[in-house]
Amino acid sequence: CHILLLSSCTSDPYVKFKLEGKQLYKSKVVYKNLNPRWNESFSYPLRDREHIVEVRVYDKNRTSDDFMGSSTICLKNLELYKTYEMELRLDDPKSKEDDMGVIVVDVCLMFRDPWPITAWPHGNSNMETYQGLSLSLPLNQSKNPLWTGVLRITLVEGLDLPQHGQGDIYVRFRLGDQKYKSKVGLWREQFDFNQFEDNQEPLQIEVYSKRGRKCEESWGMFEIDLLRLPLNERQLYTHVLDPGKGRLVFLVTLRPCWGVSISDIETATLEKPDERDAVMHKFSLKNSHKCVGEVGFLQVKVIKANDLPATDLNGKSNPLCVVELSNSKLQTHTMYKTLNPEWSKAFTLPIKDIHDVLELTVLDENGDKAANFLGKVAIPLLTVQNGQQICLFLKKEDLESASKGTITLVLEVIYNKVRAGIRTFQPKETKLIEENLKFNKKVLARNIYRVRKISTAVLCTLQYIKSCFQWESTQRSLIAFLIFLVTVWHWELFMLPLFLLLLIGWHYFQLTTGKASSNQDLESGKKGLMDKIHMVQEVVLVVQNVLDEIANIGERIKNIFNWSVPFLSCLSCLVLFVAATLLYLIPLRYIVLIWGVNKFTKKLRNPYTIDNNEILDFLKRVPSDVQKVRVQFYIQIGREFPEDVCIICCTRIPKCCRNISSGFV
C-alpha cells in the first residue's frame, strides 16, 4: 500500500490496521516522506464477512505519535478471490483540513475454513460446536462414511527461504474436514490423512510466516489432485512459493486401508469364525515381517448407556456415541428422547500404535445448535480384556471428575507384539486437533508438584548414597564400599543395562508382593482464596529460582570458554590438560577406584570434614551474564587501553575525567 498526503512539511508515517479495536498489523515507518511506499503484505483470518477493518495513519515522533487520519475497509460486498485496489480517503474529525490525504491498498478476500478444527468423517456434515471445539456431525446418520485409504505426507524442508523468515514459518495441510499444522521452524514431520472413497477434494497446502504474536503472512497456497496419485508409490513434490519466498519440499504416499467397518453386533467381524481366523492369521507372530505398519485390530461393541443427564425441557436427551482412536473417528446413530439408549453397534478400527487410548464420547444432538457434552471414557488399549462386557462410569471432559451415567461395552484387541514393539520406538502420530494452550495456575501448580515429587525422590537417593560415605551405619557403608570395589574392578559395559534390568525386576517383585504401589496420587483438595494466592506465589517463585539456576549454570560454562575471567579460563585449561594426561596414562578404572576410596575413607580419616562438589564450587566463581553486567567484568587480552580511552564504551575521555579511566567505572 502507499499513501498520498497533502501537507507542507515532511512526516514519518506508518499505518495500523485494526479490527474491533484490536491491532491486526503495523507497517514499518517511512522517514521524511509525504508519498511513502511500503510494499508490505499480511493476511489475517476473519470470522465474519460483516467485519469492518479500520486503517489509521500516524506520524512517528520522539515523544508521542501524531494521528494523521483514518479510513475503513468494508468487506461485505467484496467478491472472493478477486483483488481490489482501493483508494481510502483519510479523515480526522478533529482536524480543520478538508483533505488529509489518500492511502492506497490492495485487498483480496479468500475463503478458508476455520483453523483449527476436529476432523470427523467426511461426508454431508453439519458444523456443530461444543466445549470450544468444532465438530462435524453427519446429518444422514444411516450413512456413516468410512475411509478406504491413508494419505501419508512427509514434510521434508524449505529451500531458498528468506533469511529473516527462517524459524518463523509453518505449513498447514487440509483435506476435506481434516487439517494439520506443522511446528514452527521444526520440520521433517509426518502426517496421516484418512482418504474417503467419495472425496473429490484436492489436498490444500499453505505456507505461513509468523509476524509477531498475532499477525501471519501467507507465502503461497497450492493444491494436489489426489485422483492422479498411484497406490503405494511415494511422490516427491518441490513447489515454488510466492516470488522470493523459496520452495517447499514434501513427500506424498497413498496407501489402502483395511479394517474399518460399522455393523450390528450380530454381524460383527469377529463374530464370524472365518473372518476371525483371517484376522488372527494376519497378526500372528509368523507373519510379523508382513505389513509392518499394521500393528493390530480393534473391535468395539457399543451396547448401551444408562442414566444419562437430561438436556431437553421434557427431561430427555438425544444421545449418540463417538468412538475415537487417535485420528480415526466413527459414531453411532442418534437415539431420540431417551436417557437409556441402546445402540447395539460394532465398530472395527485398525491399530497403528498399541499405546493409543480409545476414547468414547457421549453427545446430545441438538439440531442446528451446539451439541451438548454428556460424558466421556478413556481406555488404554493395553488394558483391554478381550470379550468381557464392561460397564464404565462416564466422566467429564477432563477425565478427572465423574459425570452422570454409565456406558456398556465389549472390547477386543488383536495385535502383533513384534510390530507393536517396533512401532514403540517410532514417533507418535500427530493429532489433528490443534489445542490452544492457555495459562492455568492449577495446571502449573500440579506440574510443579509433580516435578517436586521427582526431585524429592532423586534427592532422597542422593542422600542415601551420601549417608554411605558418611558412615552413618557402619554395616551399610561397609557393604556399599565392598560392592563399589568389586563392581569397579570387574566393570564391563554390559553391566549397565543388566543393572537397570535388575532394578526393574526388583520393582516388579515389590509390586507383586504388595510391598509397593504403582498408583501415584496427585495433590488435590479444595483451597481457600488465601491458600490459592500463596500457592501461585510459591509456584512462581519456584519457577523463577529454577530458571535462574539453569541460566546461571549455562552462562557460567559459556563464560569459561569466552574468557570472561582470564584467570578462571587459564585454570580450567590447566585442569583439563592434567585430566587428559591422567586419562591417557592411567586407566579409567583405577581413577574411579582412587576417587571412591577417597570418598569412602574421608569420613574415617577426618570425622569433621565437610563434603563439597569441586565442579560446582568452581562454576560458582565464574560470573554469569547478569553478574558481568552488575560488576562490569571487562577483558583486556593482549593489550592495554590507552589512558585517555574509556574501558567501557571505548571513547576518548575528557582531560578532566582521565583520573578515573583505569579500573571499574
Side-chain angles (χ1 to χ4, degrees):
C1 62
H2 63 275
I3 184 173
L4 303 175
L5 299 174
L6 300 178
S7 179
S8 58
C9 60
T10 60
S11 300
D12 303 328
Y14 67 90
V15 185
K16 287 184 178 180
F17 294 83
K18 293 189 174 184
L19 179 65
E20 296 181 337
K22 296 182 180 180
Q23 180 176 310
L24 306 182
Y25 183 77
K26 178 181 177 181
S27 71
K28 298 179 181 178
V29 179
V30 179
Y31 293 95
K32 298 180 180 180
N33 200 325
L34 294 180
N35 298 283
R37 287 183 174 271
W38 285 279
N39 293 325
E40 299 179 38
S41 63
F42 74 96
S43 61
Y44 189 84
L46 301 173
R47 297 181 179 179
D48 193 350
R49 292 186 61 177
E50 302 291 334
H51 285 317
I52 296 178
V53 180
E54 183 181 8
V55 183
R56 302 173 68 90
V57 182
Y58 292 89
D59 180 20
K60 183 71 174 178
N61 291 326
R62 293 184 179 179
T63 56
S64 60
D65 298 348
D66 296 332
F67 179 67
M68 302 180 65
S70 65
S71 185
T72 58
I73 302 175
C74 183
L75 306 175
K76 183 178 181 180
N77 299 323
L78 299 184
E79 296 182 11
L80 293 175
Y81 302 101
K82 182 178 180 181
T83 302
Y84 293 86
E85 182 176 330
M86 299 183 178
E87 291 187 1
L88 308 176
R89 188 163 297 278
L90 300 178
D91 179 50
D92 184 5
K94 298 181 180 180
S95 176
K96 297 181 179 180
E97 295 286 342
D98 295 333
D99 195 349
M100 300 296 295
V102 175
I103 183 169
V104 181
V105 297
D106 290 339
V107 180
C108 181
L109 189 64
M110 294 181 293
F111 175 76
R112 198 180 74 211
D113 285 346
W115 299 73
I117 186 171
T118 306
W120 291 78
H122 175 74
N124 297 328
S125 61
N126 177 31
M127 301 306 297
E128 304 283 356
T129 305
Y130 85 101
Q131 299 292 333
L133 299 178
S134 298
L135 303 180
S136 175
L137 301 179
L139 289 176
N140 185 6
Q141 313 241 346
S142 61
K143 182 184 178 182
N144 207 330
L146 305 175
W147 56 95
T148 57
V150 175
L151 185 70
R152 171 158 293 181
I153 299 174
T154 304
L155 182 57
V156 181
E157 62 180 343
L159 299 176
D160 304 326
L161 300 176
Q163 191 67 28
H164 68 276
Q166 291 186 3
D168 296 325
I169 55 178
Y170 62 91
V171 186
R172 283 172 169 168
F173 299 90
R174 175 184 177 233
L175 179 62
D177 291 334
Q178 305 171 82
K179 298 180 177 70
Y180 278 115
K181 176 183 175 182
S182 72
K183 298 178 182 177
V184 176
L186 300 174
W187 288 5
R188 293 298 172 99
E189 298 181 63
Q190 204 169 70
F191 310 99
D192 286 343
F193 289 97
N194 292 329
Q195 174 68 2
F196 298 90
E197 187 175 3
D198 59 344
N199 180 33
Q200 304 295 326
E201 298 186 24
L203 173 67
Q204 295 183 359
I205 304 173
E206 193 167 7
V207 182
Y208 279 87
S209 172
K210 293 189 69 175
R211 305 185 64 176
R213 190 166 61 93
K214 295 183 179 180
C215 298
E216 56 185 22
E217 177 185 359
S218 177
W219 280 8
M221 178 179 178
F222 51 97
E223 297 180 346
I224 296 178
D225 187 5
L226 302 181
L227 299 178
R228 301 181 180 180
L229 283 180
L231 288 175
N232 296 319
E233 290 187 16
R234 187 170 61 181
Q235 303 294 317
L236 175 64
Y237 289 88
T238 302
H239 188 85
V240 179
L241 304 176
D242 290 348
K245 302 301 184 183
R247 293 170 293 161
L248 183 69
V249 181
F250 58 96
L251 301 170
V252 179
T253 308
L254 181 61
R255 295 189 177 96
C257 182
W258 170 86
V260 184
S261 68
I262 302 176
S263 63
D264 295 330
I265 290 181
E266 296 78 11
T267 59
T269 301
L270 297 182
E271 297 296 318
K272 305 173 183 177
D274 54 342
E275 294 189 9
R276 174 180 283 271
D277 293 341
V279 173
M280 298 294 293
H281 177 74
K282 183 180 181 66
F283 297 104
S284 61
L285 289 178
K286 66 179 181 180
N287 291 326
S288 300
H289 62 285
K290 300 179 181 179
C291 303
V292 180
E294 297 180 1
V295 173
F297 181 83
L298 169 67
Q299 179 171 283
V300 184
K301 295 180 181 178
V302 184
I303 301 176
K304 61 181 179 178
N306 292 320
D307 301 325
L308 296 177
T311 57
D312 297 339
L313 295 178
N314 58 4
K316 301 293 183 180
S317 297
N318 303 320
L320 61 93
C321 182
V322 177
V323 180
E324 178 181 0
L325 181 67
S326 186
N327 288 320
S328 302
K329 298 182 179 70
L330 296 172
Q331 70 179 66
T332 66
H333 57 284
T334 302
M335 300 293 293
Y336 293 95
K337 297 181 180 180
T338 180
L339 300 180
N340 301 286
E342 294 187 6
W343 293 292
S344 298
K345 288 292 182 181
F347 302 87
T348 61
L349 293 167
I351 299 175
K352 300 179 182 179
D353 190 346
I354 194 60
H355 305 282
D356 282 337
V357 176
L358 174 67
E359 296 183 358
L360 294 98
T361 306
V362 181
L363 303 175
D364 170 56
E365 185 182 341
N366 200 13
D368 296 332
K369 298 181 180 180
N372 298 315
F373 178 84
L374 299 181
K376 184 177 184 179
V377 294
I379 308 169
L381 295 182
L382 286 173
T383 64
V384 172
Q385 297 181 357
N386 288 341
Q388 291 189 5
Q389 181 172 308
I390 55 177
C391 182
L392 302 175
F393 289 98
L394 295 174
K395 295 186 177 182
K396 294 183 179 179
E397 194 176 9
D398 57 5
L399 294 174
E400 294 182 359
S401 52
S403 181
K404 183 181 179 182
T406 60
I407 186 170
T408 304
L409 310 168
V410 176
L411 305 177
E412 288 196 67
V413 173
I414 300 173
Y415 68 99
N416 183 282
K417 295 183 179 180
V418 175
R419 300 179 197 170
I422 296 174
R423 182 69 179 86
T424 302
F425 294 95
Q426 298 175 354
K428 293 187 66 175
E429 183 178 5
T430 306
K431 292 286 288 183
L432 283 168
I433 302 176
E434 298 177 8
E435 298 180 357
N436 294 322
L437 299 178
K438 296 181 180 180
F439 174 77
N440 188 320
K441 62 179 182 293
K442 181 180 178 181
V443 175
L444 178 61
R446 183 178 63 188
N447 292 339
I448 293 293
Y449 175 74
R450 293 162 59 194
V451 173
R452 183 184 298 172
K453 287 182 62 177
I454 296 175
S455 60
T456 302
V458 173
L459 290 175
C460 290
T461 304
L462 295 177
Q463 189 67 31
Y464 183 84
I465 297 174
K466 184 179 179 181
S467 67
C468 295
F469 295 138
Q470 298 293 330
W471 292 83
E472 295 178 0
S473 172
T474 305
Q475 180 182 0
R476 183 175 61 191
S477 297
L478 184 60
I479 294 175
F481 187 35
L482 294 176
I483 292 176
F484 171 79
L485 292 177
V486 173
T487 303
V488 174
W489 184 257
H490 297 282
W491 172 258
E492 296 294 341
L493 193 59
F494 74 88
M495 294 182 180
L496 178 60
L498 179 62
F499 168 74
L500 298 177
L501 178 62
L502 294 176
L503 184 61
I504 295 176
W506 169 253
H507 280 282
Y508 177 76
F509 174 75
Q510 294 284 93
L511 290 174
T512 53
T513 56
K515 296 181 180 180
S517 175
S518 61
N519 296 325
Q520 302 292 334
D521 296 329
L522 296 177
E523 194 177 40
S524 60
K526 295 184 178 180
K527 297 182 178 181
L529 178 60
M530 294 305 298
D531 292 336
K532 291 181 180 179
I533 294 176
H534 291 310
M535 178 191 68
V536 174
Q537 292 177 345
E538 181 183 359
V539 166
V540 173
L541 184 61
V542 170
V543 173
Q544 172 185 304
N545 293 337
V546 170
L547 293 179
D548 181 62
E549 288 296 326
I550 295 174
N552 283 340
I553 292 175
E555 291 172 354
R556 285 167 176 164
I557 295 174
K558 178 197 69 175
N559 290 334
I560 292 175
F561 290 92
N562 63 13
W563 294 80
S564 293
V565 181
F567 175 80
L568 294 175
S569 297
C570 291
L571 183 60
S572 63
C573 290
L574 177 62
V575 172
L576 291 175
F577 176 77
V578 173
T581 304
L582 292 177
L583 289 172
Y584 179 76
L585 298 176
I586 304 175
L588 180 62
R589 189 191 311 273
Y590 297 147
I591 295 177
V592 176
L593 277 175
I594 294 172
W595 172 86
V597 171
N598 175 64
K599 291 288 289 185
F600 273 103
T601 60
K602 184 185 294 186
K603 192 69 175 180
L604 299 178
R605 290 184 278 111
N606 185 4
Y608 305 105
T609 187
I610 299 177
D611 283 336
N612 67 304
N613 190 310
E614 291 80 4
I615 297 178
L616 291 181
D617 292 338
F618 172 77
L619 286 177
K620 289 181 179 179
R621 265 65 173 191
V622 183
S624 64
D625 290 350
V626 175
Q627 291 172 331
K628 285 173 59 180
V629 173
R630 290 177 179 173
V631 191
Q632 298 293 344
F633 284 92
Y634 293 96
I635 312 167
Q636 301 181 43
I637 303 177
R639 67 181 181 88
E640 293 291 336
F641 280 90
E643 188 176 333
D644 58 344
V645 174
C646 175
I647 65 172
I648 298 178
C649 58
C650 299
T651 57
R652 190 169 297 277
I653 302 175
K655 293 183 178 181
C656 60
C657 300
R658 289 181 185 176
N659 59 335
I660 65 169
S661 63
S662 60
F664 298 115
V665 180

